Structures are given as structure tokens and as C-alpha cells.
Amino acid sequence: MWRGIAAGLVLILTCASGWAHKLPDLSCRAFSGEFVQLATKGGHRFEVYRTGPPSARIGLLLLPGRVGLGPRTLAWADRVGAQGYRVLTLALGHASQRGHGRRAAMERAAIEYLSAPGRKIITFGWGHAGALQSLEASAADPHDVSGTVVCDGGVSAKVALLRRIESKVLLIAFQQTTPLPKLQTFEARMRFYGKPLIVHYYHIDPAAANPTGRHFDSAIAQEVWGQARLFFGQIRFLCRRCAPYPRLLFDYHN
């Protein structure tokens, strides 16, 4: 069930003209980005997918959770990149597969690679695994992450984690998949520790945001992605370790 929900959230992030269309067969799709090998400071090598314009002022670290770097994740990354964002996506696996220390090291390496002068970094995770990884990535490198998106899933009320987050956080929650008390606890602790938080609760079945499903509602899909785009705009103009950079400087390899 989670794979279907995550796939649906992947598909809603399309350009406005494509909201009501199903994603075509991707078995022969030529992706516009490229795979890049990164390494942690400890020497662990891993693969990421990079796409979008190098001159982008917003860098998105997409965390697909259990879905991994499959065709639908790559298609989502390309579509987001086509809207003007520099995108990096990687699969961190399950907590049981890798220790938190290695996952944090991979997150830091990816964020460092995605960073550039004047560019704001936003982590974006969906589904229970990816949403939690988005919070963990922001905590792993709090000084370089300006925004955190947690979509449909794994929030954490761990004090040690939440206190490390310095970015502004957007929570998009479907209450049919995440228990309301858990969401409320997360929100209350974020407020208690003075963390900037925007919350959007949807009292609907997340299948409404899945263009391939029978219960798809294009208005809901547009609403969800619209909230994310609005948040990206807020982060872009957030004055946090920023300075005016001439456009000529925006010619990055990463």
C-alpha cells in the first residue's frame, strides 16, 4: 500500500498542464539527468541522480524512502528540475539496512555537493521513510539546509533530532495514513523549541492525489504541489546566510 501511495505522490509533482494525465510507460524513457558517484568523508561511495538547471537558486534533495531510485523517482526528479530547481535524489535504504551514522554521512555529502553560493537547500521526503529521512537530513547538516518538507509520513518527536533542526519546516499530512496524535505531538514539540513550522492537514485519502488511481482529485493534487511551490518561494527569499550574488556567478557544475 505504501508503495502505491508514494508512487502517487511522485506523480502529482508535474507541471500544471499535466495534472490529469497518467504517467506513461517509462521502460524506454530517456531521463534528462545523470547519475553521479559521491563519497562520504569516511570513504563510503554511493550513487545519486542529478538533474535540473545548474543556475537554480533552489537546490532540492529528494528523498524517496522505500521507493528508491526507480523510474518513477527519476521521472519525478526530472519534472521538478524542469520547473527550475536543481535536484539531487538518492536512496538511503531502511534504518535496519544502514546505521544512522552512515545515513547521516551520506546526507551530509549530498547536501554539500548540492550546495553553491547563494543557493538555498531544501530537503523533501515523502512517505513514512522519506519524510523521516528529510528531517534527519536537515538535522545532519543544520547549517546548510534552509527548508525541510515532510510529506505524508514519518514525523518524529525525538527531542535530540528536533532540537538540531534549524530550517523552516513544511508538514503536509494526510491524516488517514499518519495518526493525528503523532502529528500533534510533532507540531507541539516543534513549537515548544521555537522551530518555524507550516502545517497543512488533509482529511482525505491520499489516493486522491494519485493520478493513476480511481479516486484521483486534480484539485487536491494541485493544492499539495501549490503549497510546496509556495514554500520554495519563501525559502528562496529567506535571508539566512545569504548575500546578493550576481547572475554570472550562477554557473555551477553541481
Side-chain angles (χ1 to χ4, degrees), residues 34-251:
E34 61 182 336
F35 284 95
V36 179
Q37 288 285 330
L38 300 185
T40 66
K41 291 184 177 180
H44 172 68
R45 301 190 65 82
F46 62 100
E47 193 172 53
V48 300
Y49 182 73
R50 180 184 68 182
T51 188
S55 59
R57 299 292 184 99
I58 292 289
L60 290 178
L61 179 62
L62 301 184
L63 298 166
R66 298 176 183 176
V67 180
L69 297 183
R72 295 186 184 278
T73 300
L74 303 187
W76 179 42
D78 282 345
R79 289 180 175 181
V80 174
Q83 295 183 49
Y85 306 105
R86 191 57 163 168
V87 178
L88 203 69
T89 183
L90 71 157
L92 294 170
H94 305 290
S96 59
Q97 295 174 331
R98 293 188 176 94
H100 289 289
R102 173 170 288 187
R103 280 174 50 180
M106 293 170 64
E107 291 160 349
R108 284 192 293 268
I111 291 169
E112 180 179 356
Y113 182 81
L114 186 59
S115 298
R119 179 186 290 165
K120 302 294 175 58
I121 304 300
I122 299 174
T123 65
F124 193 126
W126 71 93
H128 276 242
L132 181 57
Q133 289 168 4
S134 182
L135 289 173
E136 292 175 344
S138 296
D141 194 352
H143 300 296
D144 292 320
V145 175
S146 296
T148 305
V149 179
V150 181
C151 187
D152 181 37
V155 295
S156 172
K158 292 182 179 179
V159 173
L161 173 66
L162 300 185
R163 293 186 67 174
R164 284 184 55 82
I165 294 174
E166 295 185 8
S167 62
K168 194 169 186 176
V169 178
L170 169 65
L171 169 63
I172 300 174
F174 295 95
Q175 292 183 7
Q176 288 197 18
T177 57
T178 304
L180 181 58
K182 187 175 183 179
L183 295 171
Q184 291 175 330
T185 300
F186 169 77
E187 182 178 357
R189 291 194 177 177
M190 287 286 288
R191 306 289 188 198
F192 179 80
Y193 289 110
K195 307 298 181 178
L197 177 66
I198 300 172
V199 180
H200 293 281
Y201 291 120
Y202 292 92
H203 299 271
I204 59 170
D205 186 334
N210 184 351
T212 64
R214 293 179 300 172
H215 305 292
F216 173 65
D217 186 329
S218 63
I220 294 296
Q222 293 185 61
E223 167 70 16
V224 172
W225 182 230
Q227 294 298 342
R229 288 290 298 269
L230 180 63
F231 181 74
F232 298 163
Q234 294 174 359
I235 296 302
R236 176 178 176 177
F237 295 104
L238 181 68
C239 187
R240 181 172 181 261
R241 293 184 301 281
C242 59
Y245 290 91
R247 285 188 176 272
L248 291 177
L249 290 182
F250 283 78
D251 186 18

